[in-house]
Amino acid sequence: GANVTSPFKEVMLTCLDSVGEEAAIIGSVNTIVVQGTKAIGYNTDSYGVVRAVEEANFSIPNSRCLVLGAGGAGKAAAWGLQKAGGKVYLANRSKLKAEKSAAKIGCSAISLTEAEKMIDQFDLLISALLPEADPFSLEKLPSRLTVLDANYKKSKVAELAAASGCKLISGERWLV
């Protein structure tokens, strides 16, 4: 088998013999299992993000969750949080992409600009953006916000969260 990471999670759907139900709904594969001569794709990112957040003692049911990025990891995070009972908003630079992804997942879609204006309304922020992406013109996030950044190294979102006194969960926990 194999693990798949960005930017190949969505394109893998077309390269496999079959995909699991969640991977098909999410539109993203991050795990490939070889059975005989068949390669089957699954999405374990949705489980990983929920597990990482719960390990940090964050209660997902009824929480307001903001997911930044509507690529493979962002869609998986939104799906997992939605299934765990969170009220999920999927934000993307292109609101149209967020709307298309959110419609499949069953969550709400907003633009990054709208997300920035509504930031005080969220309990959890998941960033599935590239490390160098700087989605906000904000100088500070609400300190009560819990933030999980998919990136394993420094990122603009993680730096802003740390400077704001937010509880920060490492992207490595999501992977593990």
Side-chain angles (χ1 to χ4, degrees):
N3 177 264
V4 179
T5 191
S6 178
F8 305 108
K9 292 180 180 191
E10 293 169 307
V11 72
M12 284 309 300
L13 291 169
T14 63
C15 302
L16 301 165
D17 296 301
S18 64
V19 296
E21 183 180 352
E22 281 196 5
I25 292 168
I26 296 167
S28 171
V29 167
N30 74 314
T31 302
I32 301 170
V33 176
V34 178
Q35 293 181 340
T37 61
K38 304 286 184 192
I40 305 161
Y42 296 95
N43 190 300
T44 61
D45 275 337
S46 57
Y47 170 79
V49 74
V50 168
R51 182 69 187 245
V53 169
E54 289 174 342
E55 283 177 355
N57 295 318
F58 184 90
S59 178
I60 297 170
N62 301 313
S63 64
R64 294 178 59 88
C65 309
L66 172 62
V67 178
L68 303 178
K75 290 185 293 187
W79 171 260
L81 294 168
Q82 184 87 359
K83 280 183 37 183
K87 173 66 176 154
V88 180
Y89 292 78
L90 184 59
N92 198 66
R93 198 171 19 126
S94 163
K95 187 173 181 183
L96 180 60
K97 183 174 181 178
E99 289 170 342
K100 286 180 180 179
S101 297
K104 289 180 79 176
I105 294 166
C107 65
S108 301
I110 57 177
S111 69
L112 288 175
T113 303
E114 291 168 318
E116 184 174 343
K117 291 176 185 172
M118 297 171 58
I119 197 69
D120 288 335
Q121 298 176 29
F122 296 105
D123 306 303
L124 176 67
L125 169 68
I126 306 291
S127 176
L129 300 173
L130 295 172
E132 64 274 6
D134 193 0
F136 301 125
S137 63
L138 299 170
E139 293 183 22
K140 191 168 186 181
L141 294 172
S143 62
R144 64 172 184 72
L145 199 60
T146 297
V147 178
L148 170 57
D149 191 329
N151 296 293
Y152 314 139
K153 298 183 180 174
K154 285 173 51 171
S155 74
K156 299 281 187 178
V157 172
E159 289 173 359
L160 179 60
S164 300
C166 299
K167 183 174 190 174
L168 186 58
I169 305 168
S170 167
E172 290 175 342
R173 293 307 315 150
W174 184 347
L175 174 65
V176 172

